[in-house]
Amino acid sequence: MQNSTNITNEEEYKDFYETSQLICGMILYPVICIPGLVGNALSLIVLSMKNMKTSTNAFLAALAISDSIKLINDLIYFIVLVLKRTNPAAGRIAYVNIYPFAHFIFNISTCVSSWLTVSVATERFILVCYPIKAKTLCTRLRAIVISCVIYLVMVSISFPCAFRYEKTVNIINNDTELDLNVTELWRNEDFKTYYTWSLNFLRSNIVLIILIILNACIIFSLRKVRANKKNTQRNRITLMMIVIIMVFVICILPDAIMSVVGLGYHEGTYLEKGIREFSDTLLTINAAVNFLIYCVFSRTFRQNFMILLPHCPFKNQDNRKQASYKIVAAKETTAQDAQSV
């Protein structure tokens, strides 16, 4: 009786998983990923302009690259799902061959994005709370070096994920079927437990703690500044960073909870994998939304973007606003913030 109940529940969860795949992988992923990739590409173009080459923008450019990798990975997942529905045999082969690499890339991009966000938050904290020290600490060269180190370290830390799965051949009713199983390394419970907890501590837990603390400090300092001064470009940039950090924290939190206990991967139950579809979609949203945040909060970024759109109807309107703003900004904005996003 108990086995029959378990089978029934598993079938219900399978329907939930397939529905989750349809909503997230087949519908939301292309809708989010394609505009997100375009937005990240435009962000890289704008951030590489001559008057945008600052330390903050170096971090944001590196973040746009990491986010683009995540979005490309998700688009490939969408293509595999389409293939599985139109040609199940070919789709199964594609899934078995691509999933191990996609899992590896997912972990790299998430780790890199997490620590680049921490780097941006740390720099903004220094700029707001210690503006004098910021002139020597927050340099573009240092930001580029830190970004490269983050990429190298996170690739190294995530490397065991590349060896999590191996292809196997199952024989069912005299037919061969490809499948994925965890490798002998990942069947070692001690290694799996210690590595999973360590990776997710670095990727999510400690990142969330640092970002929440830094964000609170930045918000407190920003409120003190606003109590005595009018809204300036520096404050708008700081507000933009706060929004980026808050969006990141909200989007990564469900994934952090799932990843801490290792739920939702290929070997998980249908219920776990169905929930993972939604938590991964939040990460996809986070990877795609920064361009919109830059456009909303940064007048400098918006003006440089409009150079790419010479016939934009909002260009003249924004230029008039900028002209009236410059009188105040010239007096109140530091050289670092005047050129940042």
Side-chain angles (χ1 to χ4, degrees), residues 20-300:
S20 301
Q21 270 193 329
L22 175 64
I23 294 172
C24 298
M26 298 283 289
I27 299 174
L28 294 181
Y29 273 18
V31 171
I32 298 169
C33 291
I34 295 174
L37 283 169
V38 174
N40 285 334
L42 291 172
S43 294
L44 285 171
I45 294 172
V46 173
L47 294 172
S48 65
M49 290 181 176
K50 188 175 181 180
N51 67 327
M52 300 290 285
K53 293 186 176 181
T54 63
S55 58
T56 299
N57 294 346
F59 283 125
L60 296 181
L63 182 60
I65 294 172
S66 176
D67 287 341
S68 296
I69 293 172
K70 171 73 170 68
L71 294 175
I72 292 171
N73 203 40
D74 289 339
L75 266 184
I76 293 174
Y77 178 63
F78 160 71
I79 294 171
V80 170
L81 289 182
V82 172
L83 194 58
K84 286 179 73 174
R85 289 178 177 269
T86 56
N87 189 336
R92 185 66 184 175
I93 294 172
Y95 176 83
V96 168
N97 284 280
I98 292 174
Y99 184 85
F101 299 100
H103 177 72
F104 177 45
I105 297 300
F106 164 79
N107 280 282
I108 292 175
S109 61
T110 306
C111 288
V112 170
S113 295
S114 296
W115 283 98
L116 285 175
T117 305
V118 169
S119 300
V120 171
T122 303
E123 186 191 57
R124 186 50 43 178
F125 170 76
I126 295 171
L127 286 167
V128 171
C129 300
Y130 304 98
I132 297 177
K133 293 183 179 180
K135 294 179 181 179
T136 55
L137 291 176
C138 302
T139 64
R140 181 173 174 83
L141 177 60
R142 183 167 295 178
I144 293 173
V145 171
I146 291 173
S147 298
C148 292
V149 169
I150 288 173
Y151 269 92
L152 290 174
V153 171
M154 294 305 151
V155 169
S156 301
I157 291 174
S158 303
F159 202 65
C161 294
F163 303 98
R164 179 166 183 151
Y165 297 104
E166 61 183 357
K167 289 186 291 185
T168 58
V169 178
N170 299 327
I171 300 177
I172 302 175
N173 298 327
N174 295 325
D175 292 329
T176 59
E177 183 181 90
L178 289 176
D179 198 3
L180 287 175
N181 283 323
V182 293
T183 61
E184 184 177 350
L185 173 66
W186 280 86
R187 286 195 292 269
N188 184 314
E189 288 299 323
D190 290 336
F191 168 80
K192 180 181 177 180
T193 300
Y194 290 127
Y195 178 77
T196 300
W197 275 89
S198 300
L199 178 64
N200 290 300
F201 180 77
L202 287 172
R203 189 182 84 181
S204 305
N205 299 24
I206 191 172
V207 168
L208 287 172
I209 294 170
I210 293 173
L211 288 178
I212 290 171
I213 293 173
L214 288 176
N215 221 26
C217 294
I218 294 170
I219 291 172
F220 179 75
S221 299
L222 184 62
R223 291 184 64 182
K224 286 174 60 179
V225 172
R226 284 188 168 182
N228 299 294
K229 295 182 179 181
K230 296 181 180 180
N231 189 26
T232 64
Q233 173 72 349
R234 182 173 65 179
N235 292 341
R236 291 179 64 86
I237 295 167
T238 303
L239 180 60
M240 182 185 76
M241 297 303 173
I242 291 171
V243 172
I244 290 173
I245 294 167
M246 291 180 67
V247 170
F248 178 84
V249 169
I250 293 170
C251 289
I252 200 175
L253 189 57
D255 172 77
I257 296 171
M258 294 283 291
S259 298
V260 163
V261 287
L263 298 178
Y265 298 118
H266 171 78
E267 66 274 21
T269 66
Y270 286 123
L271 176 61
E272 295 168 0
K273 291 192 287 186
I275 297 173
R276 169 69 70 175
E277 291 287 332
F278 290 101
S279 66
D280 284 353
T281 301
L282 286 175
L283 294 178
T284 304
I285 292 171
N286 178 71
V289 78
N290 282 345
F291 172 76
L292 297 177
I293 297 175
Y294 302 156
C295 288
V296 170
F297 287 94
S298 175
R299 189 175 282 111
T300 305

Side-chain angles (χ1 to χ4, degrees), residues 300-314:
T300 305
F301 182 92
R302 194 163 57 246
Q303 283 190 319
N304 281 274
F305 171 60
M306 287 178 181
I307 294 174
L308 305 176
L309 304 172
H311 301 294
C312 178
F314 301 104

